[in-house]
Amino acid sequence: MKIAGNGESAAKDALIAKIAGVVDAGGLITGSDVALRPEDWQGQGSCQALAVIRPQNTGQLSAVMKLCHDAGQSVVAEGGLTGLVQGVRPTSGDIVISFERMADIESIDAVGRTMVVQAGVPLQKAQEAAEAADLLYAVDLGARGSATIGGTISTNAGGNQVLRYGMTRENILGLEAVLADGTIVSSMNSLLKNNSGYDLKQLFIGAEGTLGLVTRAVLRLRPRPVSENTALLAVGDFASVVTLFGSMGQKLAGSLTAFEVMWGDHFALLTTETGRHVPPVPAGQPYYVIVEATGADHRRDNEHFVEILGEALEDGLIVDAAISTSKSQRQAIWDIREDIEGLAGVLKPLVMFDVSMPIREMEQYISVLRKNIADQWGDTARIIVFGHLGDGNLHIFISPPADDQATHHLLEEIVYAPLQSIGGSISAEHGIGLEKRAWLHLCRSEDELALMHGLKKTLDPKGLLNPGKIF
């Protein structure tokens, strides 16, 4: 552990005093109060930062960053702590920038279908505001109540509706960010078409707070669907899952919104094994699919949806099906898929992975993964798999027999090493953070890595923004 000398400690104290002159009393947390804040999404551990700054607006953050830049002080931007890859974990020498007081929805343009929000706005709050205007903000994920807009932008979050609406990147028209030296880059474009040079917002989307701190954004809204049809399907083999995906995509055309797959052990664990959820269809099949379609005509869309599922049943693509007939039934289906807390409560210890790969490689990849883990630990390790099949994203939850660094590293080797040969990626939507940075070379070429390093050096030459993350 590095022990700060008197001179260094005095410099830190002087910096904190200067920051106190920029923000109000509620904008600065220091001393033992810092440790009262949680370290992760489960509320476990405590924040280890030097201080937590809670700016009220972009101007305050800019002034804080100028002071930090002059002092060579590192900062870590904090959102809803739902990233899962240690992407916002500070050290005792870092200052945390929290956007919890920058959580206003500034405006909604119902005609232009845009919404201007501050970075600390929770995703669910933005969704509800869009719904109140009879519109839709299409980015959606299980952590919607905690995840913030700034965090979803910084990780380019995907979620449940990527199949139809794309990643966060496709749902942001403009944004504002503060650079390491306090410079404000305002690219608050609200146009669908704007080819006036470089699209600067793309520099910060998915950059995990390493190039700049996102403060505000212009969200792209969509027409709110009138119909919403959801079903849980039991499927007998992976070949049928793939065929079903192609068939649903063709027959439902642009209305197919979600195609989520749960391996059978995931479904059984959260329904019959633990009793946390009532199974809409019996457990025991190898795969369970949540398929959802949205449209503009309730009666016609519902009839078409039921007809297509009937054809899939006749063709032998599905073994059983449960179609929701109410919002509560739809939510009950999705609750099984989104019950991460349930998995974390049952599987201890638990190591979580977020990877992507071509759909054609999934079955073999998971088969080899299970074999390798069984060869290593026998039946003392448990594997749960589910994911967004349509965008090639799998979530893999492994409960190993031990919870130590050597075990974690071995698991990473087993999970990540095969991805390079099948054209996969170590990260689909949660980012790199601290957890995956050692494996970045598996999905990026040397030229790409060199360019990424160069960009980081240009925008943050002192390496003050979220140090140690990604690189």
Side-chain angles (χ1 to χ4, degrees):
M1 177 185 295
K2 180 181 178 182
I3 305 298
N6 291 335
E8 182 179 349
S9 178
K12 297 283 188 182
D13 291 342
L15 173 62
I16 296 300
K18 291 179 181 178
I19 292 174
V22 171
V23 298
D24 59 285
L28 177 62
I29 301 174
T30 59
S32 59
D33 290 338
V34 173
L36 297 177
R37 298 173 64 90
E39 184 180 57
D40 60 26
W41 66 283
Q42 293 178 294
Q44 299 178 355
S46 59
C47 182
Q48 300 300 311
L50 173 67
V52 177
I53 312 301
R54 305 164 67 232
Q56 287 185 304
N57 52 56
T58 302
Q60 281 190 1
L61 178 58
S62 173
V64 168
M65 287 308 304
K66 287 177 181 177
L67 293 173
C68 289
H69 187 263
D70 290 344
Q73 173 61 53
S74 56
V75 301
V76 176
E78 181 182 280
L81 301 178
T82 61
L84 303 180
V85 292
Q86 300 181 29
V88 294
R89 178 167 293 182
T91 69
S92 59
D94 297 326
I95 282 179
V96 165
I97 304 293
S98 170
F99 290 91
E100 60 200 85
R101 295 205 304 168
M102 292 181 62
D104 290 339
I105 295 175
E106 297 181 2
S107 64
I108 297 178
D109 179 356
V111 176
R113 296 176 184 165
T114 62
M115 180 190 302
V116 178
V117 301
Q118 294 178 339
V121 170
L123 173 58
Q124 186 171 339
K125 181 179 177 180
Q127 291 173 332
E128 291 172 349
E131 184 177 351
D134 202 28
L135 294 167
L136 170 74
Y137 181 56
V139 176
D140 185 43
L141 41 114
R144 63 185 69 83
S146 302
T148 63
I149 294 297
T152 59
I153 291 173
S154 294
T155 56
N156 188 29
N160 304 329
Q161 302 186 126
V162 168
L163 196 58
R164 181 168 182 179
Y165 298 107
M167 302 280 280
T168 295
R169 189 180 303 279
E170 282 74 48
N171 293 279
I172 303 297
L173 295 176
L175 58 76
E176 177 184 84
V178 175
L179 302 185
D181 64 358
T183 299
I184 300 172
V185 177
S186 185
S187 184
M188 294 290 284
N189 169 67
S190 61
L191 304 174
L192 283 174
K193 293 184 176 181
N194 180 17
N195 288 327
S196 55
Y198 304 134
D199 189 357
L200 295 178
K201 70 176 181 293
Q202 301 297 347
L203 291 175
F204 307 103
I205 300 175
E208 300 182 48
T210 62
L211 300 180
L213 307 183
V214 175
T215 53
R216 298 165 67 230
V218 182
L219 310 183
R220 179 184 181 185
L221 306 181
R222 315 292 180 119
R224 184 184 174 194
V226 174
S227 69
E228 188 173 63
N229 291 288
T230 307
L232 178 67
L233 315 176
V235 186
D237 54 72
F238 194 77
S240 295
V241 172
V242 175
T243 303
L244 184 65
F245 173 58
S247 176
M248 293 289 107
Q250 182 179 40
K251 294 178 179 179
L252 290 171
S255 67
L256 181 61
T257 303
F259 193 92
E260 303 282 319
V261 179
M262 295 175 281
W263 268 243
D265 44 9
H266 172 221
F267 182 79
L269 173 63
L270 291 175
T271 56
T272 57
E273 187 173 330
T274 63
R276 288 182 62 86
H277 304 277
V278 176
V281 296
Q285 295 299 326
Y287 301 97
Y288 291 83
V289 174
I290 299 175
V291 59
E292 187 164 274
T294 54
D297 188 315
H298 181 78
R299 182 185 61 81
R300 185 175 61 184
D301 293 340
N302 178 262
E303 291 175 352
H304 185 49
F305 188 74
V306 172
E307 179 184 350
I308 289 173
L309 293 184
E311 292 173 355
L313 189 61
E314 290 178 2
D315 293 341
L317 293 178
I318 60 179
V319 177
D320 202 353
I323 302 175
S324 68
T325 58
S326 65
K327 287 187 177 296
S328 62
Q329 288 183 2
R330 173 192 179 272
Q331 190 59 52
I333 289 174
W334 278 105
D335 283 347
I336 300 173
R337 157 65 176 81
E338 296 179 345
D339 191 5
I340 307 301
E341 290 186 1
L343 292 177
V346 175
L347 304 177
K348 295 180 179 180
L350 181 62
V351 185
M352 297 172 280
F353 296 93
D354 160 50
V355 298
S356 62
M357 68 197 69
I359 296 173
R360 65 179 180 274
E361 303 287 352
M362 288 182 176
E363 183 180 26
Q364 178 66 14
Y365 171 83
I366 295 300
S367 177
V368 172
L369 178 65
R370 290 186 188 278
K371 180 182 183 302
N372 290 341
I373 289 180
D375 289 345
Q376 184 67 41
W377 292 295
D379 60 2
T380 60
R382 188 163 187 176
I383 309 171
I384 297 296
V385 183
F386 61 96
H388 317 286
L389 186 89
D391 53 30
N393 176 200
L394 292 182
H395 300 291
I396 301 169
F397 287 46
I398 302 174
S399 181
D403 188 16
D404 53 58
Q405 188 172 357
T407 300
H408 281 237
H409 183 76
L410 182 55
L411 280 175
E412 290 172 355
E413 181 73 32
I414 292 173
V415 173
Y416 295 145
L419 292 171
Q420 187 173 37
S421 64
I422 63 175
S425 170
I426 61 171
S427 181
E429 57 186 354
H430 293 163
I432 302 299
L434 285 170
E435 198 168 273
K436 301 186 178 187
R437 62 180 182 178
W439 303 94
L440 185 58
H441 67 282
L442 292 180
C443 55
R444 290 290 192 176
S445 68
E446 291 185 7
D447 289 340
E448 286 180 304
L449 290 173
L451 187 58
M452 290 169 67
H453 278 281
L455 185 59
K456 170 70 170 174
K457 189 71 174 176
T458 298
L459 293 182
D460 183 18
K462 295 185 178 181
L464 303 181
L465 297 177
N466 213 6
K469 316 304 192 301
I470 300 184
F471 303 117

